[in-house]
Amino acid sequence: MFIDGYAYSVESTKSTSSLPGFLVGTEAMLRKFKLTDTLSQGKVGLIIAAGNVTWFNTSTTDETFRSVPLLTSEIIGARWANMLGANDWVSVDGSACASMAVALKQAKWLLSTELDTMYIVNVDNAEGVSLNQLFDELGVFTSTPEFFLKYACSVVKLTKECHNTSVAEISDINVSRYVSKNVLGVTKEGYMQVISPVKKRYFDYIKPHGTNTQENEIAEQEAINSFGFTDVPQLRYKADIGHALGSATGLELCLTLGTQSGTGLHLSAGMGNMYGSFVTTHIHIG
């Protein structure tokens, strides 16, 4: 399975808009992306890989975006599918930070069976104000001052065949769950479950989940070390761009496509004790 195009947008959570900041950024990104996409696509599908699948609060009060509560994901899914010409398959996944790995696994199966092109739009549907309030109540910001939030969205176009426009091949996609002491908890064992099945054993870089929180840093690093990857360079984007929650893995994939070469191992973990991994082999820097 090959990545044949990608785009992304990152926005501050301190938006004056009454709508979730990512929403405006995603629509603008998809419009721009569609204008540059001229390749014949065949049968096309869309997966919205979201950290949270329901818009809430302002979705019923904002005059410019009124909708029935709990139905907005489906409405937006149909809208974005029309924008991308992806009318042969549309689905929404909400597996938190593992949503990108889950979507990639589903996309690979669909491309091997009935579709020619897949789009994955990776977003997080929750509002920054509510999230900041929750994490503040949990003491995340005070106990881990390096942890901060950002809105983000990304889109990747996937094809079953390699084209001269392809930027990377994706393989070794793994998703697993390892029950922890709480829904936000991460463990060494959870990470090991998605690293162990990976067939490749040489990497030019590793993109860890790397949240800057002590629990995650220790668990993830111990898992990486247990497979002998101690000398492999690690890309830790969240220290610079913040944590985009459920949209982080898709965003960070796009960042590697524009800057890295060789073979990379991508890791993710998140709410619900879900873990994901996949491997990229870069064809050229996008």
Side-chain angles (χ1 to χ4, degrees), residues 44-281:
V44 187
L46 166 68
I47 300 173
I48 299 178
N52 177 327
V53 296
T54 303
W55 277 265
F56 54 92
N57 295 342
T58 58
S59 62
T60 56
T61 59
D62 191 281
E63 290 298 324
T64 62
F65 189 73
R66 297 182 65 83
S67 60
V68 179
L70 305 182
L71 291 179
T72 46
S73 296
E74 288 76 8
I75 293 169
I76 289 295
R79 177 183 173 91
W80 292 351
N82 286 333
M83 291 175 66
L84 294 167
N87 295 313
D88 297 295
W89 181 279
V90 182
S91 67
V92 181
D93 177 81
S95 303
C97 291
S99 62
M100 189 60 175
V102 173
L104 287 170
K105 199 171 185 71
Q106 184 182 33
K108 185 173 183 178
W109 177 79
L110 287 165
L111 288 171
S112 69
T113 55
E114 57 183 289
L115 299 182
D116 301 294
T117 305
M118 285 294 305
Y119 288 96
I120 298 177
V121 178
N122 200 207
V123 295
D124 199 295
N125 302 7
E127 290 185 89
V129 174
S130 303
L131 285 169
N132 277 295
Q133 198 171 38
L134 172 62
F135 281 115
D136 190 45
E137 290 172 3
L138 293 173
V140 174
F141 298 130
T142 53
S143 61
T144 314
E146 298 85 2
F147 184 97
F148 62 103
L149 299 176
K150 279 286 184 76
Y151 284 129
C153 51
S154 64
V155 57
V156 295
K157 177 185 176 183
L158 300 163
T159 57
K160 66 173 81 176
E161 306 290 343
C162 182
H163 302 117
N164 57 10
T165 50
S166 299
V167 296
E169 182 178 9
I170 290 189
S171 59
D172 275 325
I173 308 164
N174 300 282
V175 177
S176 185
R177 185 169 184 266
Y178 190 92
V179 178
S180 184
K181 59 188 177 183
N182 62 67
V183 295
L184 289 172
V186 291
T187 63
K188 170 186 174 182
E189 292 77 12
Y191 279 113
M192 290 180 68
Q193 282 189 173
V194 292
I195 298 175
S196 180
V198 175
K199 298 180 181 66
K200 293 183 183 293
R201 278 296 178 263
Y202 173 82
F203 300 104
D204 296 289
Y205 68 88
I206 293 175
K207 198 291 299 176
H209 191 57
T211 58
N212 290 332
T213 59
Q214 185 177 21
E215 182 182 25
N216 182 88
E217 297 295 327
I218 293 173
E220 189 170 27
Q221 195 59 55
E222 286 181 349
I224 291 170
N225 292 346
S226 68
F227 288 92
F229 299 143
T230 53
D231 297 327
V232 181
Q234 295 185 19
L235 307 177
R236 294 184 170 269
Y237 291 113
K238 291 182 180 67
D240 297 320
I241 65 172
H243 196 336
L245 299 176
S247 57
T249 306
L251 168 65
E252 292 170 339
L253 168 60
C254 290
L255 292 173
T256 68
L257 294 174
T259 59
Q260 302 302 311
S261 60
T263 301
L265 173 64
H266 299 246
L267 301 175
S268 60
M271 192 173 294
N273 313 138
M274 292 288 293
Y275 298 81
S277 70
F278 57 90
V279 173
T280 54
T281 303

